[in-house]
Amino acid sequence: MNKPLSRTRRLLSNIDFGSDVAETDKSLADFFVNTSDYLDILADRYDVVLGPKGSGKTAIFKQLSNADVEIPQLRYVDVVPAFNVHGSIIFRELNHGTGGRIPSDREFSIIWLAYLAALLANHVSATYGETSNRAVDEVTELLRSGGILAEDPSPTGVFGAVLERVSHFLETTDVEANIGVDTGPVSAGAKISRKATAALLKPVDFERLFFACEAAYTSLRRRAWIVVDRLDEAFYDNPPLEAEVLRGLLRTKIDLNSFGDTLGIKLFLRSDVMDRVSGDRGFVNATHLRPISLHWSAESVTALIAKRLAKSENVRRGLAIRANELSTREGQRRVTARLIPSEISGRPAMSWLLDVTTDASGLPNPRNVVRLLGEARTLQLRHDDVADRSFRLGETRLITEDSWISGARELSRVRLQDTVLAEHPEVRPILDKLKGTAYRLTKAQLTELLGVEIDGPDADRQLSLLSYLGMLDEPFVGSFEVPTLYRHALNLSQSHVKTLLGVRLGTSEISELSADATERARRVLETKEGGETPPLHPEQRKFVHQFVQSNFEDLRTESGVAQSDGRKGVRIFLAPEHPRFSDGDPNANVPRRGVDEILDPEVLAAIHGLVATAVDSITKEGRSSYVGPKMLRHEADITAALSRELENPDGIRVIGMLVESSGAVRCVFGRDFVSPSMAEQDRASQSSSGSPELASLAESLREAVVRYRVRCESRPMSTRMAVKLIGALTDLDGVSVDLMPSHTPRVVVLPI
């Protein structure tokens, strides 16, 4: 006997979130969200609708084209959908007929003008032919006399009739002739064969046909919009052809602007395709296209979830959803709260949901949200099949946190396959090199993984491709990040010291190599005689080369003689014509300069005032950190200069610098127990694990980063102490950590 469904499973079974693909979503009209962008399109403020894949372009196209949907704003507007042009059926045939020659955008604009005029005219004739309207009769007569009054007024039927009139001019021979398409002021010539010339049919004045349609709509006191969607799928395998065809369409759209409000074209186009079409050539009068890029807010996504959840009457009744709740933002939040926990992975649910469904563009993606809803529901049902659970309205959520997290992982896998690899298989070798590494890397680490020169053309090409595909973001200059959407599919983890250094070395190994290289470098500077490390494997050798060259500008390195096992040491020697250091500081890598050599007196005075305010705030209010106002763009060693200038009995120091994307910085002040001596730090690090001072330092940096949402670089410290600080920061919520490796590395703290 089958076990009866529990209330929870019954509710989940009744939920239908619909399809994440608008083309196949039969309930799209029920789920449609009237975003501000959609309302602006209805108000005829925009003509070219742009957005990434899954941003809702086709949903709007279908909503406009659906004759069963009443849209008050379009009561007097005929929406005439043009067919979803597909290159393999139509334009590819034309291209083949040219012997491989790709016609220009101006030639394709003739085809578009002819097709759109015939499409609209056939719609006028079929819809209003029985109205005894003289303007409509003229349209019908022009169609009949030109032989393009289609028995089948559908887009496909109309195009078939038009194709006979325009395909000849694309044939290539040595004879210049009239193409048989009279476009009024828009003229075009093409080389065609004499045989084709003899076969030309009676010319059709397509521009006159547009004027006749305009007169018909004016007499009917109506308007018309021709809407075209999914152009991005037409020529994905032939970018040069795609560019010319779509540029031709955009030219035609601009030409038809002369008809004012009466006749219009609405184009729905992917943003990346528009970028490719524009390319280096640009587009004259692009402002006349009236484009809009679709954007979804968190409130719009909430409304989308609430509508899809509440479609079923059984679900509305089971979750006690009232009709008026769906009409207000607060009500929509309450509805979604029945479905989604308040927090997922320690973050507010909506923030988490937008993060896991958004690529590097940062734009919320409704298609990904809908897919996540479906995946989480399916996983929850499977879980409840094995271990049934109770659902109490107001106390538990219909889908648990675990199912949402698992659903996000499945979404990651699916989108990597169907959005990235399916359309751009050429990126697979690049992604294979990134799999299993970290999701946050510097440019040096990233290019090393990819096996390309950091400043070479291959690096620019590969990083540009990843960025173009929405797989790579650069939140800070020189720091790259793979968005959460693709991290699980690529098996990427949070950055650790081992990965961040760009070499396969452990932290203890790095510390030992750093100490040994530093000692050998100092000995070379003192004796002016070269030295060599013991034999090292390639990763260790690479690290020592980078370490010495980054920290000792007077020194150079080269590989030593290979041993029998193939390993080599690293030779360290004094660079020609470089004096040894004379400032007496064994920890210095560059000669010191006074702070007044670096800063303008007025800036220096402002810094001293800032320091005084920080000291007063920390000592009197007991704050763990104080972040001062924005400073000017700083020189590279301003942090060290400030640290040397700041002397006070309370042990308050500049413990870090918050670096904004603009280049402006904020000083982070706090109590700092870390000794300026690297040797003392190394000794202290042996017993400082878990010390309250180290925990306070970590909390100060975390507080500043979380508050201002920008990265923070700690002051320079020894490698061992940096590793200890990273361990303390890893235990804190809201931040992730990187290491900036050098003789005196900095810990980089980033907001999550």
Side-chain angles (χ1 to χ4, degrees):
M1 182 176 179
N2 292 334
K3 179 181 176 180
L5 291 176
S6 67
R7 181 192 178 199
T8 308
R9 294 171 70 199
R10 190 165 57 250
L11 280 170
L12 283 170
S13 298
N14 284 327
I15 291 176
D16 177 13
F17 288 122
S19 171
D20 61 317
V21 180
E23 292 90 330
T24 60
D25 197 339
K26 297 178 181 179
S27 302
L28 183 64
D30 298 326
F31 298 146
F32 192 80
V33 177
N34 292 339
T35 64
S36 59
D37 290 343
Y38 171 69
L39 296 176
D40 279 341
I41 293 168
L42 291 183
D44 201 18
R45 295 190 178 98
Y46 303 103
D47 293 329
V48 179
V49 182
L50 304 172
K53 188 173 183 177
S55 58
K57 301 181 300 299
T58 296
I60 296 177
F61 170 83
K62 288 189 68 176
Q63 185 76 356
L64 295 177
S65 305
N66 191 343
D68 296 328
V69 175
E70 249 187 66
I71 304 175
Q73 296 93 324
L74 302 183
R75 184 178 305 166
Y76 302 108
V77 178
D78 286 3
V79 177
V80 184
F83 60 102
N84 298 332
V85 183
H86 195 289
S88 64
I89 298 174
I90 298 165
F91 284 98
R92 188 173 299 170
E93 292 180 6
L94 292 177
N95 191 34
H96 288 169
T98 66
R101 181 184 70 90
I102 296 179
S104 70
D105 55 351
R106 294 186 181 277
E107 291 173 289
F108 275 120
S109 70
I110 302 296
I111 299 177
W112 280 114
L113 178 69
Y115 167 59
L116 296 178
L119 177 69
L120 184 60
N122 272 278
H123 171 80
V124 170
S125 180
T127 306
Y128 304 106
E130 305 298 326
T131 59
S132 300
N133 184 297
R134 291 181 60 185
V136 172
D137 291 342
E138 183 182 353
V139 171
T140 303
E141 180 55 34
L142 286 172
L143 289 171
R144 185 178 290 112
S145 63
I148 54 173
L149 181 61
E151 294 182 11
D152 175 12
S154 69
T156 303
V158 172
F159 194 88
V162 171
L163 188 60
E164 294 180 340
R165 297 299 190 284
V166 298
S167 61
H168 294 293
F169 83 89
L170 295 176
E171 296 185 25
T172 307
T173 68
D174 295 329
V175 180
E176 194 79 23
N178 192 316
I179 62 176
V181 179
D182 184 358
T183 60
V186 183
S187 60
K191 294 180 179 180
I192 63 174
S193 67
R194 291 183 176 85
K195 180 179 177 182
T197 304
L200 287 178
L201 303 174
K202 183 177 180 180
V204 179
D205 187 342
F206 287 103
E207 189 167 32
R208 181 182 174 190
L209 198 54
F210 261 120
F211 279 111
C213 289
E214 180 189 32
Y217 275 104
T218 300
S219 67
L220 293 166
R221 297 185 179 180
R222 296 185 63 82
R223 295 183 292 148
W225 288 356
I226 302 173
V227 291
V228 187
D229 181 39
R230 295 181 68 186
L231 295 171
D232 47 89
E233 297 181 11
F235 318 99
Y236 65 90
D237 58 346
N238 192 339
L241 176 62
E242 172 189 65
E244 299 305 327
V245 171
L246 298 186
R247 286 175 67 88
L249 176 58
L250 295 174
R251 285 185 181 280
T252 303
K253 186 262 172 290
I254 292 175
D255 289 342
L256 296 181
N257 284 347
S258 60
F259 291 100
D261 296 337
T262 306
L263 306 181
I265 303 177
K266 304 293 180 186
L267 309 179
F268 296 81
L269 192 61
R270 261 172 46 181
S271 306
D272 58 317
V273 175
M274 185 64 173
D275 292 340
R276 289 203 300 271
V277 170
S278 301
D280 297 332
R281 296 161 60 187
F283 199 86
V284 179
N285 294 328
T287 54
H288 296 181
L289 295 173
R290 299 204 304 165
I292 180 175
S293 294
L294 297 181
H295 291 275
W296 282 70
S297 63
E299 289 79 11
S300 298
V301 173
T302 301
L304 178 149
I305 297 172
K307 281 195 169 190
R308 289 178 181 257
L309 175 62
K311 178 194 174 189
S312 166
E313 183 179 346
N314 290 333
V315 174
R316 291 196 299 272
R317 186 167 54 250
L319 295 179
I321 298 174
R322 300 187 302 275
N324 61 354
E325 283 187 295
L326 296 174
S327 60
T328 66
R329 288 184 177 179
E330 184 56 40
Q332 291 162 357
R333 287 194 205 86
R334 290 197 302 269
V335 170
T336 57
R338 296 164 168 90
L339 179 71
I340 309 174
S342 58
E343 288 190 354
I344 302 177
S345 293
R347 299 172 59 187
M350 185 54 63
S351 173
W352 175 88
L353 186 144
L354 292 176
D355 183 44
V356 301
T357 57
T358 301
D359 69 7
S361 70
L363 300 174
N365 188 297
R367 176 177 292 181
N368 289 345
V369 172
V370 174
R371 181 65 184 238
L372 175 60
L373 294 175
E375 295 290 354
R377 170 190 173 274
T378 298
L379 291 165
Q380 188 65 61
L381 278 170
R382 290 174 184 168
H383 179 274
D384 292 349
D385 285 342
V386 178
D388 213 349
R389 64 192 170 93
S390 60
F391 170 72
R392 293 181 296 277
L393 193 61
E395 298 181 24
T396 58
R397 301 298 182 265
L398 198 55
I399 298 180
T400 63
E401 180 180 15
D402 287 345
S403 293
W404 286 110
I405 294 173
S406 298
R409 291 172 179 166
E410 180 62 17
L411 172 68
S412 178
R413 186 192 66 79
V414 169
R415 287 299 179 250
L416 180 65
Q417 293 298 324
D418 69 9
T419 300
V420 178
L421 294 177
E423 296 187 15
H424 297 274
E426 71 276 12
V427 80
R428 185 183 294 276
I430 300 175
L431 298 182
D432 286 343
K433 296 175 183 177
L434 298 182
K435 285 183 177 178
T437 62
Y439 59 72
R440 185 180 291 116
L441 297 164
T442 65
K443 185 176 183 180
Q445 296 150 7
L446 190 53
T447 51
E448 183 176 351
L449 286 170
L450 297 177
V452 294
E453 294 292 333
I454 187 169
D455 295 321
D458 287 342
D460 292 339
R461 180 182 60 80
Q462 294 188 21
L463 297 185
S464 296
L465 176 60
L466 291 173
S467 176
Y468 172 75
L469 297 178
M471 299 202 67
L472 199 63
D473 187 23
E474 190 176 7
F476 311 107
V477 176
S479 177
F480 291 88
E481 187 171 314
V482 177
T484 307
L485 175 63
Y486 296 115
R487 289 176 189 173
H488 177 75
L490 295 173
N491 191 28
L492 304 180
S493 59
Q494 180 170 321
S495 303
H496 295 296
V497 176
K498 177 178 176 182
T499 305
L500 282 166
L501 291 174
V503 292
R504 301 177 182 87
L505 303 175
T507 54
S508 61
E509 191 176 4
I510 289 166
S511 181
E512 291 171 5
L513 288 170
S514 301
D516 180 77
T518 300
E519 181 61 31
R520 292 177 188 278
R522 289 174 180 165
R523 194 178 306 147
V524 171
L525 290 170
E526 291 170 1
T527 65
K528 299 186 179 180
E529 295 180 359
E532 185 172 338
T533 68
L536 304 170
H537 65 66
E539 296 291 355
Q540 293 172 327
R541 197 163 58 247
K542 186 182 301 182
F543 175 82
V544 173
H545 279 299
Q546 294 174 346
F547 180 85
V548 173
Q549 293 177 14
S550 298
N551 292 281
F552 297 90
E553 65 178 15
D554 293 62
L555 300 181
R556 297 292 181 268
T557 62
E558 65 181 24
S559 295
V561 179
Q563 305 295 306
S564 58
D565 60 359
R567 294 192 302 162
K568 302 176 183 179
V570 175
R571 286 193 60 232
I572 305 173
F573 55 93
L574 194 67
E577 301 179 4
H578 272 262
R580 59 181 294 183
F581 290 138
S582 58
D583 59 10
D585 182 357
N587 292 317
N589 294 324
V590 293
R592 286 188 175 181
R593 289 186 289 168
V595 70
D596 28 343
E597 293 181 56
I598 301 172
L599 302 173
D600 181 272
E602 292 183 8
V603 177
L604 183 58
I607 289 175
H608 281 301
L610 176 65
V611 171
T613 304
V615 171
D616 185 67
S617 175
I618 295 171
T619 54
K620 291 183 179 180
E621 301 176 23
R623 296 171 62 93
S624 61
S625 68
Y626 174 86
V627 182
K630 288 184 179 179
M631 298 172 58
L632 301 177
R633 289 181 178 272
H634 60 292
E635 297 204 18
D637 50 359
I638 193 172
T639 306
L642 284 169
S643 297
R644 289 198 298 271
E645 284 296 306
L646 179 58
E647 295 179 1
N648 61 82
D650 299 303
I652 300 169
R653 297 172 59 89
V654 176
I655 61 174
M657 302 285 279
L658 284 164
V659 185
E660 302 187 355
S661 59
S662 64
V665 298
R666 299 168 184 262
C667 293
V668 184
F669 296 94
R671 297 188 185 280
D672 182 18
F673 77 101
V674 180
S675 167
S677 165
M678 301 295 113
E680 289 180 22
Q681 286 187 39
D682 285 342
R683 285 194 294 272
S685 68
Q686 302 300 321
S687 58
S688 65
S689 178
S691 69
E693 293 89 350
L694 186 65
S696 176
L697 177 62
E699 180 57 40
S700 295
L701 296 174
R702 175 197 171 277
E703 177 185 333
V705 170
V706 170
R707 178 179 179 185
Y708 285 89
R709 306 299 298 171
V710 294
R711 75 172 180 173
C712 178
E713 297 177 6
S714 77
R715 73 178 184 83
M717 56 185 62
S718 75
T719 300
R720 289 191 178 95
M721 187 58 72
V723 171
K724 293 290 184 182
L725 180 58
I726 286 173
L729 284 162
T730 303
D731 295 333
L732 302 178
D733 296 328
V735 295
S736 62
V737 287
D738 280 1
L739 182 66
M740 198 178 286
S742 72
H743 168 51
T744 53
R746 291 187 178 95
V747 175
V748 180
V749 192
L750 299 137
I752 294 180

